[in-house]
Amino acid sequence: MADRNGTGDSVPSAGQQSNNSNNPLTRKLNKILDTRIDNDKEMLEALKALSTFFVENSLRTRRNLRSDIERRNLSINEEFVEAFDVVEEQLNSVYQEVKSMNECCQDMTNRLKTAKEQTRDLLNQTTGLQGESQKLQMKAQVADAFLDKFQLKPEECKVLRGSKTTGLHKDFFKVLSRVKQIHNDCKVLLRTNQQTAGLEIMESMALQQESAYERLYRWTQNECRALTGDSPDIFPLLCSAMEALQDRPLLLNYSLDEYGTARRTAIVRGLIDALTRGGPGGTPRPIELHSHDPLRYVGDMLAWLHQAAASEKEYLQTLIKSCKPDPELIQKILGHITEGVCRPFKVRVDQVLAAEQDAVVLNKLNNLLKFYHNTVKQILGDSASLTITVEEMATLSHQMFFNSLNCHASKLLDKVELPPPDLGPTSSLKESLQLLRDVLACQDASVVPLDNKKQDFKQVLSCVVDPVLQMCSVSASRLNTVDMAAYMTNCIYLTQNALAVYHFTDSRLEMLQAQIDAQVDTLVSEQAAFILNRVDLAHVYSTIQNYESSQGEISLMEGMDSPTLKSAMSKFDNYLASPDSLILPQSSLLLSATVREKVKKISVELICEAYRQIYNFICDKNHGYADWQSIVPRTPDQVVKLLS
């Protein structure tokens, strides 16, 4: 029975499947079906070729497919044959041409062999001549190289010698360098067999060098003499000349001397013009117009000299920028250049210092000269004449300044003013302190080194403060103790305030404070004594301080009995009720609130201490005061509390 599947088709049996697999047609079909055409490149190419002529899929075309393919293959082969016939004809033609060329070359080779045999002697002679020619050419090249290395060309000799009418050629230094090189290279010849040639060439180059350096020196000397303008034009050729003259130090020094002389003349003329004529077109104005103002007059001259010195140093450095001169030589030249302006400057500053009497102006001039002395010294050095001149003027102004201070101090002591009724400062003291402030302000603003500034401060204080204090002491000599203490305190306090804002015054401030403290002690003592006298306790306090038991019972002594003590304590209570009522009039005249409070505070402490001693003495039963509580009803602590 045959089985049926879900589709109704019969399933072949195993025997049928075996018969089908042995069928050739079945195998071919299976093989075709199993073939992957997309992976078979040859099949794909064949199918593409077939598609070019197999256009109709019919029974007839399928049956004639083999014959069509064979016919097509036959036609293609015929086309190949026709194409190769043409190639064969061309190859035959090429063969014939190559054959003829070979025969021609063979003929030429035979002819060359015959000619070579006939011209062998001529070739040998030619080869020998060529060898000799090469040797001669090599000798000529060596001779040319020797002459090129050890001799100058005619145009180079012309550049080196020049003429009197023409200046220095720009290639002069190249030729001079070449002469030096040839002279040095001759040393190599002296170590070979060519010593005679080396000596002759060296002697010739030496003469050339001397002649060139002589011409270079004359030209440089003339150019340096012409540099007399306000702003000299130092062109590169002149700098190169200075560099070349380094090989002749003597000639270089002479040239620099000529330059220094020319620039000295120019700077002197420039200073005179600046003093009398001013700048181009009258701007800036002539310095002499400000001669009535010492600070501006001297300051303008110093500023001009500083600028001139800096400019001259820059010009000189530009001139010898390619050289390696000795620094001392540079300073020497700069000193020579600026030496000419020393006398005109010194004469004018001397006149200013001799005519000026104001200590403040003299101090400002001194600081100005010190500043420019340090500035000019950095440019020209210590040994330059201008540096020394500015230093001398600074020293002179310093002396004149302190002479003015000493003169002022002498005037203070010659005519001493009496203290005013309010015990304040006198007009002389105010003027002196204002002078001191102005001078110290100038000193503080100066740019001199700290050591010099400190020394100047110390000297100024000695010249002003000491005479001022001495004047105050002389002025206060006719006053009583309290007035003297108050007056001196005010004077010293004002002096201390004048110094407090400046540097280098600490030691002097400490000394003044010690003097104020001494005067304050006097005021405190007088204030305490004044209070004790007003409340009738001065005699009591003095008696207690000097009492000894051998003197007998103190309560029976005069002025120490109970009624007298009670009366004094009653007045003391009135003082405790209004402490300000017993302040010394001189204390209210003190200018310093701090000092006033200090006097009041310390005097109150002394009063409290005196009361404490009186209280303890009266409370002592051994002293015979049975009613001590009625005499001293207040304890010392209560008194301190009331007065604090």
Side-chain angles (χ1 to χ4, degrees):
M1 295 295 292
D3 295 330
R4 298 285 184 176
N5 55 16
T7 61
D9 295 334
S10 61
V11 178
S13 63
Q16 291 176 343
Q17 293 177 354
S18 175
N19 292 331
N20 291 336
S21 63
N22 294 328
N23 189 344
L25 182 59
T26 302
R27 288 198 300 272
K28 289 182 179 181
L29 288 174
N30 291 334
K31 183 176 180 183
I32 292 171
L33 293 174
D34 293 337
T35 301
R36 304 291 296 178
I37 297 177
D38 54 348
N39 294 332
D40 193 346
K41 295 182 179 180
E42 294 180 357
M43 180 63 73
L44 290 175
E45 295 293 332
L47 291 175
K48 288 180 181 179
L50 181 63
S51 64
T52 59
F53 63 90
F54 190 78
V55 295
E56 183 181 0
N57 187 9
S58 62
L59 179 62
R60 181 176 177 278
T61 56
R62 287 197 299 272
R63 288 179 177 177
N64 296 331
L65 179 61
R66 179 183 293 274
S67 60
D68 290 341
I69 292 172
E70 290 176 351
R71 282 195 300 273
R72 186 171 181 80
N73 188 21
L74 180 61
S75 71
I76 291 171
N77 289 333
E78 289 175 353
E79 291 177 0
F80 270 109
V81 170
E82 291 176 359
F84 277 113
D85 287 340
V86 176
V87 173
E88 182 182 9
E89 291 178 0
Q90 293 177 351
L91 287 175
N92 289 333
S93 176
V94 171
Y95 172 74
Q96 293 298 328
E97 291 179 357
V98 171
K99 183 177 179 182
S100 62
M101 288 176 64
N102 184 37
E103 292 175 354
C104 182
C105 289
Q106 189 65 34
D107 180 58
M108 291 178 67
T109 301
N110 294 331
R111 292 170 63 186
L112 285 173
K113 288 181 179 180
T114 303
K116 186 175 182 180
E117 291 177 355
Q118 294 175 355
T119 59
R120 181 174 298 172
D121 295 337
L122 181 60
L123 290 175
N124 292 334
Q125 186 178 0
T126 302
T127 302
L129 292 175
Q130 288 178 349
E132 292 180 1
S133 176
Q134 291 178 355
K135 291 180 180 179
L136 292 175
Q137 289 179 359
M138 185 175 296
K139 290 181 179 180
Q141 291 176 358
V142 171
D144 292 340
F146 181 84
L147 293 176
D148 185 62
K149 187 173 181 62
F150 291 98
Q151 289 294 328
L152 294 177
K153 298 177 182 178
E155 57 271 18
E156 291 177 337
C157 293
K158 184 177 180 181
V159 168
L160 198 64
R161 292 170 185 170
S163 63
K164 295 182 179 180
T165 58
T166 60
L168 210 63
H169 195 274
K170 62 180 181 179
D171 294 332
F172 176 85
F173 301 103
K174 294 181 180 179
V175 179
L176 181 60
S177 176
R178 174 164 166 73
V179 172
K180 290 169 57 179
Q181 185 63 39
I182 293 174
H183 189 273
N184 292 331
D185 292 341
C186 288
K187 297 177 182 179
V188 179
L189 294 177
L190 297 178
R191 294 195 292 267
T192 63
N193 295 329
Q194 305 296 329
Q195 294 181 357
T196 303
L199 289 173
E200 292 178 355
I201 295 173
M202 184 176 289
E203 183 178 359
S204 174
M205 291 301 107
L207 294 175
Q208 294 276 15
Q209 273 186 304
E210 293 303 322
S211 175
Y213 278 119
E214 180 66 22
R215 178 171 177 245
L216 178 61
Y217 167 66
R218 297 300 179 191
W219 179 86
T220 305
Q221 193 177 40
N222 292 331
E223 292 297 327
C224 288
R225 287 173 180 172
L227 297 176
T228 57
D230 293 337
S231 298
D233 183 16
I234 301 176
F235 46 94
L237 199 62
L238 184 57
C239 298
S240 300
M242 290 296 179
E243 181 182 7
L245 286 175
Q246 285 187 109
D247 294 335
R248 298 294 186 273
L250 187 60
L251 298 181
L252 177 62
N253 291 340
Y254 286 159
S255 299
L256 291 176
D257 288 342
E258 288 292 341
Y259 171 82
T261 302
R263 294 310 305 157
R264 174 172 176 165
T265 303
I267 195 174
V268 171
R269 185 182 66 251
L271 176 61
I272 300 302
D273 290 344
L275 288 169
T276 58
R277 297 183 181 180
T283 304
R285 301 177 67 188
I287 299 176
E288 293 285 0
L289 292 179
H290 306 290
S291 58
H292 62 281
D293 185 354
L295 284 175
R296 181 169 182 180
Y297 183 47
V298 177
D300 288 349
M301 284 192 292
L302 287 170
W304 192 93
L305 292 175
H306 171 231
Q307 182 180 2
S311 299
E312 292 302 325
K313 184 174 183 179
E314 184 178 354
Y315 297 149
L316 181 59
Q317 289 176 342
T318 302
L319 180 65
I320 57 176
K321 62 182 179 180
S322 301
C323 305
K324 297 180 180 178
D326 186 3
E328 294 183 358
L329 177 62
I330 295 178
Q331 291 187 356
K332 179 181 177 182
I333 297 171
L334 289 175
H336 176 68
I337 292 173
T338 57
E339 185 179 5
V341 298
C342 294
R343 181 171 179 77
F345 170 72
K346 183 176 181 180
V347 169
R348 287 164 174 79
V349 176
D350 280 337
Q351 293 174 351
V352 170
L353 295 178
E356 187 58 48
Q357 301 295 328
D358 189 352
V360 177
V361 175
L362 289 171
N363 188 29
K364 291 180 179 179
L365 288 173
N366 180 32
N367 292 332
L368 188 65
L369 289 165
K370 285 181 179 178
F371 168 74
Y372 276 102
H373 169 252
N374 292 329
T375 305
V376 172
K377 182 171 68 174
Q378 294 176 0
I379 299 174
L380 303 179
D382 297 333
S383 59
S385 298
L386 182 59
T387 305
I388 297 173
T389 301
V390 176
E391 184 180 13
E392 290 176 353
M393 294 298 98
T395 303
L396 179 60
S397 64
H398 188 268
Q399 295 174 354
M400 297 293 291
F401 164 62
F402 283 105
N403 288 341
S404 178
L405 291 182
N406 292 328
C407 181
H408 177 79
S410 299
K411 291 180 180 179
L412 289 178
L413 298 176
D414 288 343
K415 187 178 180 180
V416 179
E417 295 184 42
L418 295 177
D422 61 354
L423 301 181
T426 61
S427 59
S428 299
L429 178 61
K430 292 179 181 178
E431 293 175 0
S432 299
L433 293 181
Q434 185 59 45
L435 173 63
L436 180 62
R437 292 189 188 94
D438 294 339
V439 170
L440 292 181
C442 295
Q443 293 295 123
D444 196 48
S446 65
V447 292
V448 298
L450 287 179
D451 293 339
N452 295 341
K453 185 183 292 187
K454 184 176 181 180
Q455 182 64 28
D456 290 344
F457 264 83
K458 183 178 179 181
Q459 194 170 356
V460 167
L461 294 179
S462 299
C463 290
V464 179
V465 176
D466 292 342
V468 164
L469 296 179
Q470 186 177 359
M471 178 197 70
C472 294
S473 299
V474 174
S475 177
S477 60
R478 298 181 182 180
L479 300 176
N480 59 45
T481 304
V482 182
D483 290 343
M484 180 185 291
Y487 174 69
M488 290 300 298
T489 300
N490 288 335
C491 294
I492 298 172
Y493 169 73
L494 291 176
T495 306
Q496 189 181 43
N497 284 346
L499 302 180
V501 295
Y502 300 106
H503 299 288
F504 312 115
T505 58
D506 294 341
S507 60
R508 180 66 66 165
L509 289 174
E510 292 177 0
M511 184 194 71
L512 294 176
Q513 185 60 45
Q515 294 181 6
I516 290 177
D517 292 340
Q519 301 300 332
V520 167
D521 291 341
T522 302
L523 288 173
V524 168
S525 300
E526 293 295 330
Q527 177 67 57
F530 177 73
I531 294 173
L532 291 177
N533 285 325
R534 286 301 182 93
V535 299
D536 295 335
L537 289 179
H539 175 70
V540 175
Y541 181 69
S542 175
T543 302
I544 291 174
Q545 291 289 324
N546 299 322
Y547 174 71
E548 295 180 1
S549 57
S550 60
Q551 295 177 353
E553 191 173 347
I554 193 172
S555 60
L556 301 177
M557 295 176 63
E558 183 180 0
M560 294 301 295
D561 56 286
S562 295
T564 303
L565 292 178
K566 287 180 181 180
S567 176
M569 287 300 171
S570 176
K571 293 180 180 180
F572 185 72
D573 286 341
N574 294 333
Y575 162 71
L576 294 178
S578 57
D580 293 339
S581 62
L582 296 181
I583 293 179
L584 285 172
Q586 291 84 350
S587 296
S588 61
L589 297 178
L590 294 174
L591 298 177
S592 172
T594 304
V595 174
R596 288 199 301 269
E597 290 298 323
K598 185 176 182 181
V599 170
K600 180 180 178 181
K601 180 181 178 182
I602 299 177
S603 62
V604 167
E605 291 176 355
L606 291 179
I607 295 298
C608 292
E609 180 61 27
Y611 180 79
R612 184 183 299 277
Q613 294 182 20
I614 295 172
Y615 177 83
N616 292 333
F617 190 87
I618 294 175
C619 292
D620 191 349
K621 297 179 180 180
N622 297 326
H623 295 150
Y625 294 103
D627 55 347
W628 62 270
Q629 292 180 348
S630 61
I631 298 175
V632 285
R634 301 182 187 277
T635 63
D637 293 336
Q638 290 175 339
V639 172
V640 171
K641 187 175 182 181
L642 289 172
L643 292 177
S644 61

